[in-house]
Amino acid sequence: MIDALTLLVLDTETTGLDVENDRVVQLGAVYWKAGERLGKRRSMLVNPGIPIPQGAEKVHGIGDAQVASAPDFAQVGARLAQHLADGPDGSGPPALCGYNAVSYDIPLLNAEFARHGLSVRIDPGQVLDPIVFVRWHHRGWRFRKLEVVAQKYGFTLRDAHSAAADAEATAVVMSAMMSAGLIPADWDEALQTQHRLQQSLDEEWEQYGYALYRDRSDESLRLGFGKHTGCLLDEVDPQYLRFCYDKFADLTPDTREQFSRRLDV
């Protein structure tokens, strides 16, 4: 069961969104077990070896001056590798968790490991990622960023985009969703369910993009964006659908077909 495991919940702040080429500027983590944090938050600045773009600095508030004397990823990554192997107390590898980690943080960390000659790699298929369950069970929420999701689950995320704070918020969301029955309590079942839900989400995105999704209980179509996010498509004002149909050129063919049926195009 997940509550019996020691989890290492990871988060990164970076120079950008390119998982192959962008760099870590801050690594944050918490150890988590049975719904509670073990010890203190852990955070370390990282000198990325390249200038931090202004756009990235505006997001996380970390600039070149702050990382000038920080260790590079070769040093920080070696310390992370020890945690991945031994956990907080040398008892063995922890289970891993992170918000949007499977598609972002883990590939980026693996690229950093490779870039700095470190042999360790993290298998994304063995990382529990709450955002997959949020995107499935809470697709009708207009915003699903960590700060918003944590707030909805009763946790106020202060210092958003501080890696350690984000790691703790991720752990809280994971535990809350597990308590609500939205994430299976068994580790293997949770990972299997995560894989299945991600496949369904990918298929849904391929068919409808951001604009539509199927209700999780009865397969009816709901609007996936804008002020009517979560509303049944059949109940959305046709004038609003006409506006979207004419304005957004990137609607998928299947989405246009569904809109046109209701507009008699």
Side-chain angles (χ1 to χ4, degrees), residues 102-192:
V102 169
S103 62
Y104 179 65
D105 300 84
I106 299 307
L108 195 144
L109 283 170
N110 283 337
E112 285 276 53
F113 284 134
R115 186 176 296 117
H116 290 86
L118 298 169
S119 61
V120 64
R121 299 290 185 274
I122 301 172
D123 179 359
Q126 294 299 310
V127 177
L128 184 62
D129 193 336
I131 200 172
V132 176
F133 298 91
V134 169
R135 286 172 174 164
W136 181 259
H137 294 293
H138 300 313
R139 179 65 177 84
W141 290 357
R142 188 171 179 182
F143 302 106
R144 294 178 294 279
K145 292 182 178 180
L146 177 59
E147 183 177 4
V148 175
V149 174
Q151 183 68 50
K152 286 182 176 291
Y153 276 104
F155 181 81
T156 300
L157 174 54
R158 298 179 176 86
D159 301 322
H161 297 295
S162 163
D166 286 358
E168 183 168 18
T170 297
V172 170
V173 168
M174 183 275 301
S175 289
M177 294 190 76
M178 193 170 66
S179 295
L182 302 180
I183 295 178
D186 177 79
W187 178 257
D188 290 335
E189 183 183 355
L191 291 182
Q192 291 167 6

Coordinates of all heavy atoms in Angstrom, one line a residue, residues 102-192:
V102 N 6.2 13.1 -15.0 CA 6.4 12.0 -16.0 C 6.7 12.7 -17.4 O 7.6 12.2 -18.1 CB 5.2 11.1 -16.1 CG1 5.3 10.2 -17.4 CG2 5.0 10.3 -14.9
S103 N 6.1 13.8 -17.7 CA 6.3 14.4 -19.0 C 7.3 15.5 -19.0 O 7.8 16.0 -20.0 CB 5.0 14.8 -19.6 OG 4.4 15.8 -18.8
Y104 N 7.6 16.0 -17.7 CA 8.5 17.2 -17.7 C 9.7 17.0 -16.8 O 10.8 16.9 -17.2 CB 7.7 18.4 -17.2 CG 8.5 19.7 -17.1 CD1 9.1 20.2 -18.2 CD2 8.7 20.2 -15.9 CE1 9.9 21.4 -18.1 CE2 9.5 21.4 -15.7 CZ 10.1 21.9 -16.9 OH 10.9 23.1 -16.7
D105 N 9.5 16.9 -15.5 CA 10.6 16.9 -14.5 C 11.5 15.7 -14.7 O 12.8 15.9 -14.7 CB 10.1 16.9 -13.1 CG 9.3 18.2 -12.8 OD1 8.1 18.1 -13.0 OD2 9.9 19.1 -12.2
I106 N 11.0 14.5 -14.9 CA 11.8 13.3 -15.0 C 12.6 13.3 -16.3 O 13.8 13.1 -16.3 CB 10.9 12.1 -14.9 CG1 10.2 12.0 -13.5 CG2 11.8 10.8 -15.1 CD1 11.2 12.2 -12.3
P107 N 12.0 13.6 -17.5 CA 12.9 13.7 -18.7 C 13.9 14.7 -18.6 O 15.1 14.5 -19.1 CB 11.9 14.0 -19.8 CG 10.6 13.5 -19.3 CD 10.6 13.7 -17.8
L108 N 13.6 15.9 -18.0 CA 14.6 16.9 -17.8 C 15.7 16.5 -16.9 O 16.9 16.7 -17.2 CB 13.9 18.2 -17.3 CG 14.7 19.5 -17.5 CD1 13.8 20.6 -17.8 CD2 15.5 19.8 -16.2
L109 N 15.4 15.8 -15.8 CA 16.4 15.4 -14.9 C 17.3 14.3 -15.6 O 18.5 14.3 -15.4 CB 15.8 14.8 -13.6 CG 15.3 15.8 -12.6 CD1 14.4 15.1 -11.5 CD2 16.4 16.6 -12.0
N110 N 16.7 13.4 -16.3 CA 17.4 12.4 -17.0 C 18.4 13.0 -18.0 O 19.5 12.5 -18.2 CB 16.5 11.4 -17.7 CG 15.9 10.4 -16.7 OD1 16.5 10.1 -15.6 ND2 14.8 9.8 -17.1
A111 N 18.0 14.1 -18.7 CA 18.9 14.8 -19.6 C 20.0 15.4 -18.9 O 21.2 15.4 -19.4 CB 18.1 15.8 -20.4
E112 N 19.7 16.0 -17.7 CA 20.8 16.5 -16.9 C 21.8 15.5 -16.4 O 23.0 15.7 -16.4 CB 20.2 17.3 -15.7 CG 19.5 18.6 -16.0 CD 20.5 19.8 -16.1 OE1 21.6 19.6 -16.8 OE2 20.3 20.8 -15.5
F113 N 21.3 14.3 -16.0 CA 22.2 13.2 -15.6 C 23.1 12.9 -16.7 O 24.3 12.7 -16.5 CB 21.3 12.0 -15.2 CG 20.7 12.1 -13.8 CD1 19.3 11.7 -13.7 CD2 21.4 12.5 -12.7 CE1 18.7 11.8 -12.4 CE2 20.8 12.6 -11.5 CZ 19.4 12.2 -11.3
A114 N 22.5 12.7 -17.9 CA 23.4 12.4 -19.1 C 24.4 13.4 -19.4 O 25.5 13.2 -19.7 CB 22.4 12.1 -20.3
R115 N 23.9 14.7 -19.4 CA 24.8 15.8 -19.7 C 26.0 15.9 -18.8 O 27.1 16.3 -19.2 CB 23.9 17.1 -19.6 CG 24.6 18.4 -20.1 CD 23.7 19.6 -20.1 NE 22.6 19.4 -21.0 CZ 21.3 19.3 -20.6 NH1 21.0 19.4 -19.4 NH2 20.4 19.2 -21.5
H116 N 25.8 15.5 -17.6 CA 26.9 15.6 -16.6 C 27.6 14.3 -16.3 O 28.3 14.2 -15.3 CB 26.4 16.3 -15.3 CG 26.0 17.7 -15.5 ND1 24.8 18.1 -15.9 CD2 26.7 18.8 -15.3 CE1 24.7 19.4 -16.0 NE2 25.9 19.9 -15.6
G117 N 27.4 13.3 -17.2 CA 28.1 12.1 -17.1 C 27.7 11.2 -15.9 O 28.5 10.3 -15.5
L118 N 26.5 11.3 -15.4 CA 26.0 10.5 -14.3 C 25.2 9.4 -14.9 O 24.4 9.6 -15.7 CB 25.2 11.3 -13.3 CG 25.9 12.5 -12.6 CD1 24.9 13.4 -11.9 CD2 27.0 12.0 -11.7
S119 N 25.5 8.2 -14.4 CA 24.9 7.0 -15.0 C 23.4 6.7 -14.6 O 22.7 6.0 -15.2 CB 25.7 5.7 -14.7 OG 25.7 5.5 -13.3
V120 N 23.0 7.4 -13.5 CA 21.6 7.1 -13.0 C 20.6 7.6 -14.0 O 20.8 8.7 -14.6 CB 21.5 7.8 -11.6 CG1 21.6 9.3 -11.7 CG2 20.1 7.4 -11.0
R121 N 19.5 6.9 -14.1 CA 18.3 7.3 -14.8 C 17.1 7.0 -14.1 O 17.0 5.9 -13.4 CB 18.2 6.7 -16.2 CG 19.4 7.0 -17.1 CD 19.5 8.4 -17.6 NE 20.5 8.6 -18.6 CZ 21.8 8.9 -18.2 NH1 22.1 9.0 -16.9 NH2 22.7 9.0 -19.1
I122 N 16.0 7.8 -14.2 CA 14.8 7.6 -13.5 C 13.8 7.0 -14.5 O 13.6 7.6 -15.6 CB 14.2 8.8 -12.9 CG1 15.2 9.4 -11.8 CG2 12.9 8.6 -12.2 CD1 14.8 10.8 -11.3
D123 N 13.1 5.9 -14.2 CA 12.1 5.3 -15.1 C 10.8 6.1 -14.9 O 10.2 6.0 -13.9 CB 11.9 3.9 -14.8 CG 10.9 3.2 -15.7 OD1 10.3 3.9 -16.5 OD2 10.7 2.0 -15.5
P124 N 10.4 6.9 -15.9 CA 9.1 7.6 -15.7 C 7.9 6.7 -15.5 O 6.9 7.1 -14.8 CB 8.9 8.4 -17.0 CG 10.0 8.0 -17.9 CD 11.0 7.1 -17.2
G125 N 8.0 5.5 -15.9 CA 6.9 4.6 -15.7 C 6.7 4.1 -14.3 O 5.8 3.5 -13.9
Q126 N 7.7 4.5 -13.4 CA 7.7 4.1 -12.0 C 7.5 5.4 -11.1 O 7.8 5.3 -9.9 CB 9.0 3.4 -11.6 CG 9.1 2.0 -12.3 CD 8.0 1.1 -11.9 OE1 7.7 0.9 -10.8 NE2 7.4 0.5 -12.9
V127 N 7.0 6.4 -11.7 CA 6.8 7.7 -11.0 C 5.3 7.9 -10.9 O 4.6 8.0 -11.9 CB 7.5 8.8 -11.7 CG1 7.2 10.1 -10.9 CG2 9.0 8.6 -11.7
L128 N 4.8 8.1 -9.7 CA 3.4 8.5 -9.5 C 3.2 10.0 -9.8 O 3.8 10.8 -9.2 CB 2.9 8.1 -8.1 CG 1.4 8.3 -7.8 CD1 0.6 7.4 -8.7 CD2 1.1 8.1 -6.3
D129 N 2.3 10.3 -10.8 CA 2.1 11.7 -11.2 C 0.6 12.1 -11.0 O -0.3 11.7 -11.8 CB 2.4 11.8 -12.7 CG 2.6 13.2 -13.1 OD1 2.0 14.1 -12.5 OD2 3.3 13.5 -14.1
P130 N 0.3 12.8 -9.9 CA -1.1 13.2 -9.6 C -1.8 14.0 -10.8 O -3.0 13.9 -10.9 CB -1.0 14.1 -8.4 CG 0.3 13.6 -7.7 CD 1.2 13.3 -8.8
I131 N -1.0 14.7 -11.6 CA -1.7 15.5 -12.6 C -2.5 14.6 -13.6 O -3.5 15.0 -14.1 CB -0.6 16.3 -13.4 CG1 -1.4 17.5 -14.1 CG2 0.1 15.5 -14.4 CD1 -0.5 18.5 -14.7
V132 N -2.1 13.4 -13.8 CA -2.8 12.5 -14.7 C -4.2 12.2 -14.1 O -5.2 12.3 -14.8 CB -2.1 11.1 -14.9 CG1 -2.9 10.2 -15.7 CG2 -0.7 11.4 -15.5
F133 N -4.3 12.0 -12.8 CA -5.6 11.8 -12.1 C -6.4 13.0 -12.0 O -7.6 13.0 -12.2 CB -5.3 11.2 -10.7 CG -4.6 9.9 -10.8 CD1 -3.2 9.8 -10.7 CD2 -5.3 8.7 -10.8 CE1 -2.6 8.6 -10.8 CE2 -4.7 7.4 -10.9 CZ -3.3 7.4 -10.8
V134 N -5.7 14.2 -11.9 CA -6.4 15.5 -11.9 C -7.0 15.7 -13.3 O -8.2 16.1 -13.4 CB -5.5 16.6 -11.5 CG1 -6.1 18.0 -11.8 CG2 -5.0 16.5 -10.1
R135 N -6.3 15.5 -14.3 CA -6.8 15.7 -15.7 C -7.9 14.8 -16.0 O -8.8 15.1 -16.8 CB -5.6 15.5 -16.7 CG -4.6 16.7 -16.7 CD -3.4 16.4 -17.6 NE -2.5 17.5 -17.7 CZ -1.3 17.5 -18.1 NH1 -0.8 16.3 -18.5 NH2 -0.6 18.5 -18.2
W136 N -7.9 13.6 -15.4 CA -9.0 12.7 -15.7 C -10.3 13.0 -14.8 O -11.4 13.2 -15.3 CB -8.6 11.2 -15.5 CG -9.7 10.3 -15.8 CD1 -10.5 9.6 -14.9 CD2 -10.1 9.9 -17.0 NE1 -11.4 8.8 -15.5 CE2 -11.2 9.0 -16.9 CE3 -9.7 10.2 -18.3 CZ2 -11.9 8.4 -17.9 CZ3 -10.4 9.6 -19.4 CH2 -11.5 8.7 -19.2
H137 N -10.1 13.0 -13.5 CA -11.2 13.2 -12.6 C -11.7 14.6 -12.5 O -12.9 14.8 -12.2 CB -10.8 12.7 -11.2 CG -10.6 11.2 -11.1 ND1 -11.6 10.3 -11.3 CD2 -9.4 10.5 -10.9 CE1 -11.1 9.0 -11.2 NE2 -9.8 9.2 -11.0
H138 N -10.8 15.6 -12.8 CA -11.2 17.0 -12.6 C -11.1 17.7 -13.9 O -10.7 18.9 -14.0 CB -10.4 17.7 -11.5 CG -10.5 17.0 -10.2 ND1 -11.7 16.7 -9.6 CD2 -9.6 16.6 -9.3 CE1 -11.6 16.2 -8.4 NE2 -10.3 16.1 -8.2
R139 N -11.3 17.1 -15.0 CA -11.2 17.7 -16.3 C -12.1 18.9 -16.5 O -11.8 19.9 -17.2 CB -11.5 16.7 -17.5 CG -11.4 17.2 -18.9 CD -10.0 17.6 -19.2 NE -10.0 18.1 -20.6 CZ -10.2 19.3 -21.0 NH1 -10.6 20.2 -20.2 NH2 -10.1 19.6 -22.3
G140 N -13.2 18.9 -15.7 CA -14.1 20.0 -15.8 C -13.7 21.3 -15.0 O -14.3 22.3 -15.1
W141 N -12.6 21.2 -14.3 CA -12.0 22.4 -13.6 C -11.4 23.2 -14.7 O -10.6 22.7 -15.5 CB -11.0 22.0 -12.6 CG -11.6 21.4 -11.3 CD1 -12.9 21.2 -11.1 CD2 -10.9 20.8 -10.2 NE1 -13.1 20.5 -9.9 CE2 -11.9 20.3 -9.3 CE3 -9.5 20.8 -9.9 CZ2 -11.5 19.7 -8.1 CZ3 -9.2 20.2 -8.7 CH2 -10.2 19.7 -7.8
R142 N -11.6 24.5 -14.6 CA -11.1 25.4 -15.7 C -9.5 25.5 -15.6 O -8.8 25.6 -16.6 CB -11.7 26.8 -15.6 CG -11.3 27.7 -16.7 CD -12.1 29.0 -16.7 NE -11.7 29.8 -17.8 CZ -12.2 31.1 -18.0 NH1 -13.2 31.5 -17.2 NH2 -11.8 31.8 -19.1
F143 N -9.0 25.5 -14.3 CA -7.6 25.5 -14.1 C -7.1 24.3 -13.3 O -7.8 24.0 -12.3 CB -7.2 26.8 -13.4 CG -7.7 28.1 -14.1 CD1 -8.7 28.8 -13.7 CD2 -7.0 28.5 -15.3 CE1 -9.2 29.9 -14.3 CE2 -7.4 29.6 -16.0 CZ -8.5 30.3 -15.5
R144 N -6.0 23.7 -13.7 CA -5.5 22.5 -13.0 C -4.1 22.6 -12.7 O -3.4 21.6 -12.5 CB -5.8 21.3 -13.9 CG -7.3 21.0 -14.1 CD -7.5 19.8 -15.0 NE -7.1 20.1 -16.4 CZ -7.8 20.7 -17.3 NH1 -9.0 21.2 -16.9 NH2 -7.4 20.9 -18.5
K145 N -3.6 23.9 -12.5 CA -2.2 24.1 -12.1 C -2.2 23.6 -10.6 O -3.2 23.6 -9.9 CB -1.8 25.6 -12.2 CG -1.7 26.0 -13.6 CD -1.2 27.5 -13.7 CE -1.0 27.9 -15.1 NZ -0.6 29.4 -15.2
L146 N -1.0 23.3 -10.2 CA -0.8 22.8 -8.8 C -1.3 23.7 -7.8 O -2.0 23.2 -6.8 CB 0.7 22.5 -8.6 CG 1.1 22.0 -7.2 CD1 0.4 20.7 -6.9 CD2 2.6 21.8 -7.1
E147 N -1.1 25.0 -7.9 CA -1.5 25.9 -6.9 C -3.0 25.9 -6.7 O -3.6 25.9 -5.6 CB -1.1 27.3 -7.2 CG -1.4 28.4 -6.2 CD -0.9 29.7 -6.6 OE1 -0.3 29.9 -7.7 OE2 -1.0 30.7 -5.8
V148 N -3.8 25.8 -7.8 CA -5.2 25.8 -7.8 C -5.7 24.5 -7.3 O -6.6 24.4 -6.4 CB -5.8 26.0 -9.2 CG1 -7.3 25.9 -9.3 CG2 -5.3 27.4 -9.7
V149 N -5.1 23.4 -7.7 CA -5.6 22.1 -7.3 C -5.4 21.9 -5.8 O -6.2 21.4 -5.1 CB -4.9 21.0 -8.1 CG1 -5.2 19.6 -7.5 CG2 -5.2 21.0 -9.6
A150 N -4.2 22.3 -5.3 CA -3.9 22.2 -3.9 C -4.9 23.0 -3.1 O -5.4 22.5 -2.0 CB -2.5 22.7 -3.6
Q151 N -5.3 24.2 -3.5 CA -6.3 25.0 -2.9 C -7.6 24.3 -2.8 O -8.3 24.4 -1.7 CB -6.4 26.4 -3.6 CG -7.4 27.4 -2.9 CD -6.8 27.8 -1.5 OE1 -5.7 28.3 -1.4 NE2 -7.6 27.7 -0.5
K152 N -8.0 23.7 -3.9 CA -9.3 23.0 -3.9 C -9.3 21.8 -2.9 O -10.3 21.4 -2.4 CB -9.6 22.5 -5.3 CG -10.1 23.6 -6.2 CD -10.4 23.1 -7.6 CE -11.0 24.2 -8.5 NZ -12.3 24.7 -8.1
Y153 N -8.1 21.3 -2.6 CA -8.0 20.2 -1.6 C -7.6 20.7 -0.3 O -7.2 20.0 0.6 CB -7.0 19.2 -2.1 CG -7.6 18.2 -3.1 CD1 -7.4 18.2 -4.4 CD2 -8.5 17.2 -2.6 CE1 -8.0 17.3 -5.3 CE2 -9.1 16.2 -3.4 CZ -8.8 16.3 -4.8 OH -9.4 15.4 -5.6
G154 N -7.8 22.0 0.0 CA -7.7 22.6 1.3 C -6.3 23.0 1.7 O -6.0 23.2 2.9
F155 N -5.3 23.0 0.8 CA -3.9 23.4 1.1 C -3.6 24.6 0.4 O -3.6 24.7 -0.8 CB -3.0 22.2 0.7 CG -1.5 22.5 1.0 CD1 -1.0 22.2 2.3 CD2 -0.7 22.9 0.0 CE1 0.3 22.4 2.6 CE2 0.7 23.1 0.3 CZ 1.2 22.9 1.6
T156 N -3.2 25.6 1.1 CA -2.7 26.9 0.5 C -1.3 26.8 0.2 O -0.4 26.7 1.1 CB -3.0 28.1 1.5 OG1 -4.4 28.2 1.7 CG2 -2.6 29.4 0.8
L157 N -1.0 26.9 -1.1 CA 0.4 26.8 -1.5 C 1.0 28.2 -1.5 O 0.8 29.0 -2.4 CB 0.5 26.2 -2.9 CG 1.9 26.2 -3.6 CD1 2.9 25.5 -2.7 CD2 1.8 25.5 -5.0
R158 N 1.8 28.5 -0.5 CA 2.6 29.7 -0.4 C 3.9 29.5 -1.1 O 4.4 28.3 -1.2 CB 2.8 30.2 1.0 CG 1.5 30.5 1.7 CD 1.7 30.9 3.1 NE 0.4 31.3 3.8 CZ -0.4 30.5 4.4 NH1 -0.1 29.2 4.4 NH2 -1.5 30.9 4.9
D159 N 4.5 30.5 -1.7 CA 5.8 30.3 -2.4 C 5.6 29.4 -3.6 O 6.5 28.5 -3.8 CB 6.9 29.8 -1.5 CG 7.1 30.8 -0.3 OD1 7.1 32.0 -0.5 OD2 7.4 30.3 0.8
A160 N 4.5 29.5 -4.3 CA 4.4 28.7 -5.5 C 5.6 28.9 -6.4 O 6.1 30.1 -6.6 CB 3.1 29.1 -6.3
H161 N 6.0 27.9 -7.1 CA 7.2 27.9 -8.0 C 8.5 28.0 -7.1 O 9.6 28.2 -7.7 CB 7.2 29.0 -9.0 CG 6.0 28.8 -10.0 ND1 5.9 27.8 -10.9 CD2 4.9 29.6 -10.2 CE1 4.8 27.9 -11.6 NE2 4.2 29.0 -11.2
S162 N 8.4 27.7 -5.8 CA 9.6 27.3 -5.1 C 9.5 25.8 -5.1 O 8.5 25.2 -4.7 CB 9.5 27.8 -3.6 OG 10.4 27.1 -2.8
A163 N 10.6 25.1 -5.5 CA 10.5 23.7 -5.8 C 10.1 22.9 -4.6 O 9.3 22.0 -4.7 CB 11.9 23.2 -6.4
A164 N 10.7 23.2 -3.4 CA 10.3 22.5 -2.2 C 8.9 22.6 -1.8 O 8.2 21.7 -1.4 CB 11.3 22.8 -1.1
A165 N 8.4 23.9 -1.9 CA 7.0 24.1 -1.6 C 6.1 23.4 -2.6 O 5.0 22.8 -2.2 CB 6.7 25.6 -1.7
D166 N 6.4 23.4 -3.9 CA 5.6 22.7 -4.8 C 5.7 21.2 -4.6 O 4.7 20.5 -4.8 CB 6.1 23.0 -6.2 CG 5.8 24.4 -6.7 OD1 5.1 25.1 -6.0 OD2 6.2 24.7 -7.8
A167 N 6.8 20.6 -4.1 CA 6.9 19.2 -3.8 C 6.0 18.8 -2.7 O 5.3 17.8 -2.8 CB 8.3 18.8 -3.5
E168 N 5.9 19.7 -1.7 CA 5.0 19.4 -0.5 C 3.6 19.5 -1.0 O 2.7 18.6 -0.6 CB 5.3 20.3 0.6 CG 4.4 20.0 1.8 CD 4.9 20.7 3.1 OE1 5.6 21.7 3.0 OE2 4.4 20.2 4.2
A169 N 3.2 20.5 -1.8 CA 1.8 20.6 -2.2 C 1.4 19.4 -3.1 O 0.3 18.9 -3.0 CB 1.7 21.9 -3.1
T170 N 2.4 18.9 -3.9 CA 2.1 17.7 -4.7 C 1.8 16.5 -3.8 O 0.9 15.7 -4.0 CB 3.3 17.3 -5.5 OG1 3.6 18.4 -6.5 CG2 3.2 16.0 -6.3
A171 N 2.6 16.3 -2.7 CA 2.3 15.2 -1.7 C 1.0 15.4 -1.1 O 0.2 14.4 -0.9 CB 3.4 15.2 -0.7
V172 N 0.6 16.6 -0.7 CA -0.7 16.8 -0.1 C -1.8 16.4 -1.1 O -2.8 15.7 -0.7 CB -0.9 18.3 0.3 CG1 -2.3 18.6 0.7 CG2 0.1 18.6 1.5
V173 N -1.7 16.9 -2.4 CA -2.7 16.5 -3.4 C -2.8 15.0 -3.6 O -3.9 14.4 -3.6 CB -2.4 17.3 -4.7 CG1 -3.3 16.7 -5.8 CG2 -2.6 18.8 -4.5
M174 N -1.7 14.4 -3.7 CA -1.6 12.9 -3.9 C -2.4 12.2 -2.7 O -3.2 11.4 -3.0 CB -0.2 12.4 -3.9 CG 0.0 11.0 -4.2 SD -0.1 9.9 -2.7 CE 1.3 10.6 -1.8
S175 N -2.1 12.6 -1.5 CA -2.7 11.9 -0.3 C -4.2 12.2 -0.3 O -5.0 11.3 0.0 CB -2.0 12.4 1.0 OG -0.7 11.9 1.1
A176 N -4.6 13.5 -0.6 CA -6.0 13.8 -0.6 C -6.8 13.1 -1.7 O -7.9 12.6 -1.4 CB -6.2 15.3 -0.8
M177 N -6.2 12.9 -2.9 CA -6.9 12.2 -3.9 C -7.0 10.7 -3.6 O -7.9 10.0 -4.0 CB -6.2 12.4 -5.3 CG -6.3 13.9 -5.7 SD -5.7 14.1 -7.4 CE -7.1 13.4 -8.4
M178 N -6.0 10.2 -2.9 CA -6.0 8.8 -2.5 C -7.1 8.6 -1.5 O -7.8 7.6 -1.5 CB -4.6 8.4 -2.0 CG -4.5 6.9 -1.8 SD -2.8 6.4 -1.5 CE -2.6 7.1 0.1
S179 N -7.2 9.5 -0.5 CA -8.2 9.4 0.5 C -9.6 9.5 -0.1 O -10.6 8.9 0.4 CB -8.1 10.5 1.5 OG -6.8 10.4 2.3
A180 N -9.7 10.3 -1.2 CA -11.0 10.4 -1.9 C -11.3 9.2 -2.8 O -12.4 9.2 -3.5 CB -11.1 11.7 -2.7
G181 N -10.4 8.3 -2.9 CA -10.6 7.2 -3.8 C -10.3 7.4 -5.3 O -10.7 6.6 -6.1
L182 N -9.7 8.6 -5.6 CA -9.4 8.9 -6.9 C -8.0 8.4 -7.4 O -7.8 8.4 -8.6 CB -9.5 10.4 -7.1 CG -10.8 11.1 -6.7 CD1 -10.8 12.6 -6.9 CD2 -12.0 10.4 -7.5
I183 N -7.1 8.1 -6.5 CA -5.9 7.4 -6.8 C -5.9 6.1 -6.0 O -6.2 6.1 -4.8 CB -4.7 8.2 -6.4 CG1 -4.6 9.5 -7.2 CG2 -3.4 7.4 -6.5 CD1 -3.4 10.4 -6.8
P184 N -5.7 5.0 -6.6 CA -5.7 3.7 -5.9 C -4.7 3.7 -4.8 O -3.6 4.3 -4.9 CB -5.3 2.7 -7.0 CG -5.8 3.3 -8.3 CD -5.5 4.8 -8.1
A185 N -5.0 3.0 -3.7 CA -4.2 3.0 -2.5 C -3.0 2.0 -2.7 O -2.0 2.1 -1.9 CB -5.0 2.6 -1.3
D186 N -3.1 1.1 -3.6 CA -2.0 0.2 -3.9 C -1.0 0.8 -4.9 O -1.5 1.3 -6.0 CB -2.5 -1.1 -4.4 CG -1.5 -2.1 -4.7 OD1 -0.9 -2.8 -3.8 OD2 -1.2 -2.3 -6.0
W187 N 0.3 0.7 -4.7 CA 1.2 1.3 -5.6 C 1.2 0.8 -7.0 O 1.1 1.6 -8.0 CB 2.6 1.2 -5.0 CG 3.7 1.8 -5.8 CD1 4.6 1.1 -6.7 CD2 4.1 3.1 -6.0 NE1 5.4 2.0 -7.3 CE2 5.1 3.2 -6.9 CE3 3.6 4.3 -5.4 CZ2 5.7 4.5 -7.2 CZ3 4.1 5.5 -5.8 CH2 5.2 5.6 -6.7
D188 N 1.2 -0.5 -7.2 CA 1.2 -1.1 -8.5 C -0.1 -0.8 -9.2 O -0.1 -0.4 -10.4 CB 1.5 -2.6 -8.4 CG 2.9 -3.0 -8.0 OD1 3.8 -2.1 -8.2 OD2 3.1 -4.1 -7.5
E189 N -1.2 -0.9 -8.5 CA -2.5 -0.5 -9.1 C -2.5 0.9 -9.5 O -3.1 1.3 -10.6 CB -3.6 -0.9 -8.2 CG -5.0 -0.6 -8.8 CD -6.1 -0.9 -7.8 OE1 -5.8 -1.4 -6.7 OE2 -7.3 -0.6 -8.2
A190 N -2.0 1.8 -8.7 CA -1.9 3.2 -9.0 C -1.2 3.5 -10.3 O -1.6 4.3 -11.2 CB -1.4 4.0 -7.9
L191 N 0.0 2.9 -10.4 CA 0.8 3.1 -11.7 C 0.1 2.5 -12.9 O 0.1 3.1 -14.0 CB 2.2 2.5 -11.5 CG 3.1 3.1 -10.5 CD1 4.5 2.4 -10.5 CD2 3.3 4.6 -10.8
Q192 N -0.5 1.4 -12.7 CA -1.3 0.8 -13.9 C -2.4 1.6 -14.3 O -2.7 1.9 -15.5 CB -1.7 -0.6 -13.5 CG -0.6 -1.7 -13.3 CD -1.1 -2.9 -12.7 OE1 -2.3 -3.1 -12.4 NE2 -0.1 -3.8 -12.4

